[in-house]
Each structure stands twice: as C-alpha cells, then as structure tokens.
Amino acid sequence: MKHAIKLAFALLITAAACSSNASDEGAPDEGAPTQTRVESPSTPTEGAKKGPRAAAGGGPFEIVLGEWAVTPEADAVRPGPVTFRIVNRGSMTHGFEIEADGDHSGPGSGDGFKFETELIEPGKAVKVRLDLAPGTYKVECLVDGHDDLGMEGFLEVRPGAGRGRERGRERPAPRSGSDVAIEGFAFTPATIDVSAGTEVTWINSDPTEHTVTGDGFGSNNLAAGDRFSHRFSRQGVYRYRCAIHPEMTAEVRVSG
C-alpha cells in the first residue's frame, strides 16, 4: 500500500513538472525584441510618473547620414519612446551615435547616456527604439574623423515638439509646382511632370553640398540655400543624380 502511495505521488510530481515545462516552451521570448531598445536615465521625479509619456507620433523619426552631414527630419522630438530610422544616403560607410550633451543638457537628460549603431553601408538603413528623457543630445557619425568633416549636430528632446521640420535657419521656399527640393539627401519629388518649355528649379535645403547632374544639363556644387534652374525644351524623360552622392537619383518627365 505504501509503495502504491509513493508511486502515485511521484507520478503527480512528474505531471506537474511536464505541465510547467510545456507552458514555458509555449511562452513568447520576451528577451528577444524585434527592435533595439535603449532607455536613457531619468530623474527620480520622472521615474515616479505613471503611464506612457508623449512620443513622436506617426512613422519613424528619420535621421539621414551622408557626406558630410547628419540631418534629422526635425531639430526637436518629444520625450519618451521613439523609433528612429537612420539611413545612409552617402557613398561611404557611416554609423550613428547619440549622446547626452553635458554642456547643453536640461533636467533629466541623463548624464552619461550614449548609444551607437553598427556601421551602416551606403543605401542601407537601421531602426532603433530609444526612450529619451528631456534635454539636449549630440548626434554624430561614429566613424573616426567624420564628425570633424561636419557630420555632427544637436537634437533637442522636449515636451510639445512636433514632427515637422523646426529648423532655426530660414529654408528657401518653393516658388512653383516645377520646383524640386533637395533635402534629407533626396530629391523631392523624385519624379516631376512638366510641359515642354518649363523651367525647373532645384533648391538645396540640406546643410551640405549637392549637385544636379543629368545628360546634357547640370549644376555646379550647390551649397545650402543655393538654387539651380534649367529649361526643358523637348519632351522626354531626363534622369539625373547628385554627383557627390550617387544614391540620390530622380527624373524629370517632359510632355509635348
């Protein structure tokens, strides 16, 4: 009788253990997130707050790397969890680094906070999930010497920041529907439709130089704020690029 009781008890323990293991195997692996998540230190007051903090809303906050600039889509972003998309539109390998700036940081910016991506090849992009406290952060290319060539700047994290561009400098305004903006290391729109005889104007809104280089037409190096115009007299499709950043391509379609 005692032997039967012991056997029944052993079977009960074994069944419970198997049930526990099956439950563990079926649970999602919370230690393997699909996106990198890094949290900056918060002040004690902020750490005590409950509920989600305001984030940047909409799609990822884009930061473009290229020779020789780091170009966020805006100068400011809301505090809290934000997905950043860092894209390399240059012709060289770059990497992204964000760090709390000791001289400019505000309350809760998190002294000592620093995050780096891996190296990003030309034409490639990475997404990272950051939880940033309010303050000022330095952003730059982590490749040695690239910051000295101009690939550095600052990103402000503050409540109430919007998603649109909030640059302090004056941006050249488009004059008509035949204007093409050069910004974020891209031509916008990438395809423009015009009638024969139309003059198309390109306006460089990036902090670094670009060119408009096509078959039979082209500009010199365009600094920030510079314009270049060309009149298209004949119908056809005119493809062009930036000679400094070959990843930047676009076209003008001219109808008769």
Side-chain angles (χ1 to χ4, degrees):
M1 182 66 177
K2 291 182 178 180
H3 178 72
I5 293 174
K6 289 182 178 180
L7 180 59
F9 183 73
L11 291 173
L12 181 61
I13 294 298
T14 302
C18 291
S19 175
S20 176
N21 290 339
S23 176
D24 291 343
E25 291 175 0
D29 184 5
E30 296 182 357
T34 57
Q35 295 178 335
T36 302
R37 180 179 176 85
V38 178
E39 294 189 1
S40 62
S42 301
T43 61
T45 301
E46 289 170 340
K49 292 179 180 179
K50 303 296 183 179
R53 292 182 292 170
F61 186 96
E62 188 167 89
I63 297 177
V64 179
L65 310 178
E67 296 83 52
W68 298 101
V70 176
T71 310
E73 71 173 55
D75 285 338
V77 67
R78 298 175 188 175
V82 180
T83 297
F84 290 84
R85 181 177 184 266
I86 299 101
V87 56
N88 181 2
R89 293 203 179 118
S91 59
M92 304 175 63
T93 299
H94 297 295
F96 176 72
E97 176 182 308
I98 181 170
E99 181 178 12
D101 184 63
D103 296 330
H104 299 80
S105 55
S109 62
D111 292 339
F113 168 76
K114 184 177 181 178
F115 173 77
E116 297 179 345
T117 67
E118 297 179 351
L119 292 177
I120 307 171
E121 298 298 324
K124 303 296 184 181
V126 299
K127 284 184 180 180
V128 295
R129 182 78 164 174
L130 302 179
D131 193 348
L132 299 178
T136 301
Y137 295 78
K138 186 176 183 180
V139 294
E140 62 183 353
C141 177
L142 56 82
V143 176
D144 188 34
H146 285 194
D147 55 343
D148 295 331
L149 293 171
M151 296 189 69
E152 63 179 0
F154 293 96
L155 179 67
E156 185 182 1
V157 179
R158 58 176 172 78
R163 283 301 307 269
R165 291 182 178 271
E166 299 176 355
R167 305 197 181 284
R169 61 183 175 84
E170 196 70 28
R171 300 174 61 221
R175 295 177 299 180
S176 71
S178 59
D179 284 353
V180 177
I182 307 174
E183 56 184 355
F185 288 79
F187 295 106
T188 305
T191 299
I192 185 171
D193 294 290
V194 299
S195 300
T198 300
E199 183 179 76
V200 177
T201 299
W202 288 263
I203 309 165
N204 185 13
S205 297
D206 268 348
T208 192
E209 291 186 343
H210 294 293
T211 75
V212 177
T213 305
D215 186 11
F217 68 100
S219 71
N220 296 321
N221 288 5
L222 302 175
D226 285 353
R227 299 171 183 260
F228 166 73
S229 298
H230 178 78
R231 188 177 301 279
F232 293 87
S233 302
R234 298 181 179 179
Q235 68 181 51
V237 177
Y238 298 83
R239 296 180 177 87
Y240 63 93
R241 62 187 175 86
C242 172
I244 304 172
H245 311 101
E247 294 290 331
M248 296 172 55
T249 61
E251 64 182 21
V252 179
R253 299 191 300 194
V254 183
S255 60

